Amino acid sequence: MQFTPLLRRAGWAGAVSLALAAPPAHAILFAGLCLLDENCGAKLGSLSGTAIPQAAFNMQFDSFDRLGARLDTLRMAQGSIGLRSYARNDIDFGMAAGDAPARHGVWVRAFGTRESQDARDNFGGYASHGGGVAIGYDHALTAADTVGVSLTYSESSIRYQQQWVGQNANLRSVQGAAYASHGFKYAYVDVMAGYSQQSYGISRQIIGGDSATAGFGGEQWGARLDGGVPFHFGSNAALVPQARVDYSRLRQAGYTENGGFAPLTVAERRAERWRTGLGAQFSFDTALGALKAEPYLNAFWNHDLRNTGISSTVSSSFGSFVSQGQTVPRNTYSTGIGSTFQLSAQVFAQVGYDFEAGAGYKAHSVKAVLKYNF
């Protein structure tokens, strides 16, 4: 039996609809829940756990952003104008003009995130916070070609809001990725791909103040294609229009809750997201006394080609139903600001802040990076 249309109704109307459509046992359980609060859809919507897969998608897209920033740093200073000192997010070569270009690089990055989504589609919102660390190595094959690998560990803690049937979740992810860049005369193309293993833990408050808990695993594949064309302003500043497309495929294992009254069994879920981005980045070389720096500012419009809600097939001793998740905002807008500093001929540090917003959605992130080129 599918309750998807009924879960979007509220209060007494929802309770009556459930009672008419459901067998007696279902009517007692689900109509009783809806009689207690007018936000019935938002409450039962927590069973779909939409925020959990969306957090996984965001983790992978954010990791691609970080790899893209690293590739930005590795545009070679010699060669054609398309590879010279453009808006790099870094200054490995631009600030060390005249030095022999580095062929190898190792880096470590720490980051933190905070996100929130308001109630949407008659489903309750959520808030999350997390962070992690990434390490990587890259090698310049030629003046125009670079390849690299990275490993990222990240965590996220999710708290659902506006719901009586509350739910909290934790996500841990380990991702391996490979990336590459090729420079043309007046442009560049980046490509990256990643695979991650995930572990989830959830806790759902139920009738009587008890909690039902569960743990399960998942895996994810993803890729990004990215390109840009630099426009230079003098010898130390550039504006780079950019375009990109992201793909991610997620599989979450099914699970059965432990504890509580009538524990639920949730079937395996699979989901995909396609996302495009258009924007630009501006950066320039400068100096703070003896310290060389390269500040940057960017802005992007992100568009989801597939923003449908992620449904869950749920069953218990009372029967089964489908809980349809809320849609994600189709359009978001993001901006980032930061600077890289040259600490020595081979050592660079970077700090940055990014903000993204959509329909009821907000995300903040901070990062700090240390890089060694040789």
Side-chain angles (χ1 to χ4, degrees):
M1 181 176 68
Q2 185 174 99
F3 279 92
T4 302
L6 302 178
L7 296 181
R8 297 181 183 273
R9 305 183 183 182
W12 288 92
V16 171
S17 298
L18 287 169
L20 292 175
H26 293 79
I28 293 171
L29 176 62
F30 296 110
L33 289 175
C34 284
L35 284 171
L36 296 176
D37 194 299
E38 62 181 8
N39 294 319
C40 177
K43 294 172 180 178
L44 296 179
S46 71
L47 300 176
S48 67
T50 301
I52 301 175
Q54 295 306 338
F57 283 129
N58 290 342
M59 276 186 176
Q60 187 159 79
F61 291 154
D62 289 346
S63 73
F64 290 156
D65 288 342
R66 291 185 286 271
L67 292 180
R70 175 56 184 168
L71 284 171
D72 280 346
T73 73
L74 299 175
R75 316 297 174 195
M76 294 299 177
Q78 77 277 16
S80 62
I81 188 172
L83 300 176
R84 293 183 61 85
S85 186
Y86 80 101
R88 285 180 306 279
N89 244 14
D90 201 352
I91 40 178
D92 293 6
F93 302 104
M95 293 196 314
D99 295 345
R103 303 287 292 182
H104 308 273
V106 292
W107 51 270
V108 59
R109 181 187 305 263
F111 55 91
T113 62
R114 183 176 295 274
E115 301 179 11
S116 64
Q117 172 66 59
D118 293 343
R120 181 181 176 86
D121 300 334
N122 199 33
F123 292 97
Y126 63 87
S128 69
H129 65 274
V133 62
I135 57 174
Y137 164 80
D138 36 61
H139 174 63
L141 300 174
T142 69
D145 299 288
T146 299
V147 295
V149 293
S150 69
L151 183 67
T152 302
Y153 172 81
S154 53
E155 295 183 353
S156 183
S157 178
I158 304 163
R159 184 180 69 256
Y160 284 78
Q161 300 174 334
Q162 296 112 9
Q163 295 171 351
W164 180 68
V165 184
Q167 180 170 311
N168 299 318
N170 294 291
L171 164 59
R172 293 180 174 86
S173 173
V174 178
Q175 174 175 284
Y179 53 96
S181 178
H182 176 72
F184 299 93
K185 186 175 182 180
Y186 298 107
Y188 72 89
V189 172
D190 296 339
V191 62
M192 56 201 75
Y195 171 78
S196 62
Q197 285 278 349
Q198 297 146 348
S199 62
Y200 303 84
I202 64 170
S203 175
R204 182 175 61 87
Q205 185 179 356
I206 57 178
I207 296 173
D210 293 333
S211 294
T213 62
F216 57 99
E219 57 184 346
Q220 190 172 11
W221 303 261
R224 168 179 288 186
L225 182 65
D226 182 340
V229 179
F231 293 91
H232 303 278
F233 301 91
S235 61
N236 67 336
L239 177 69
V240 186
Q242 301 177 36
R244 63 197 183 200
V245 58
D246 297 324
Y247 170 77
S248 186
R249 180 179 179 85
L250 175 69
R251 184 191 70 84
Q252 292 179 327
Y255 63 89
T256 298
E257 294 176 327
N258 300 308
F261 171 71
L264 301 175
T265 296
V266 179
E268 177 183 281
R269 290 186 291 183
R270 296 174 182 264
E272 293 181 336
R273 275 185 73 183
W274 286 91
R275 189 181 73 162
T276 60
L278 290 174
Q281 180 166 287
F282 176 78
S283 69
F284 61 96
D285 293 339
T286 187
L288 303 174
L291 183 64
K292 296 180 180 179
E294 186 177 89
Y296 69 88
L297 174 67
N298 59 46
F300 284 88
W301 166 56
N302 306 297
H303 178 71
D304 266 279
L305 302 177
R306 178 178 296 181
N307 74 329
T308 55
I310 300 172
S311 63
S312 298
T313 301
V314 184
S315 61
S316 73
S317 56
F318 290 95
S320 64
F321 62 95
V322 174
S323 176
Q324 177 65 49
Q326 65 190 142
T327 61
V328 300
R330 183 172 288 275
N331 297 292
T332 64
Y333 304 89
S334 58
T335 185
I337 188 171
S339 183
T340 305
F341 304 94
Q342 183 176 6
L343 305 182
S344 71
Q346 295 174 294
V347 180
F348 301 82
Q350 183 188 72
V351 293
Y353 166 77
D354 297 284
F355 175 73
E356 184 175 3
Y361 173 78
K362 295 179 181 179
H364 307 264
S365 65
V366 294
K367 59 187 176 184
V369 191
L370 187 64
K371 309 167 188 175
Y372 176 73
N373 295 333
F374 59 99

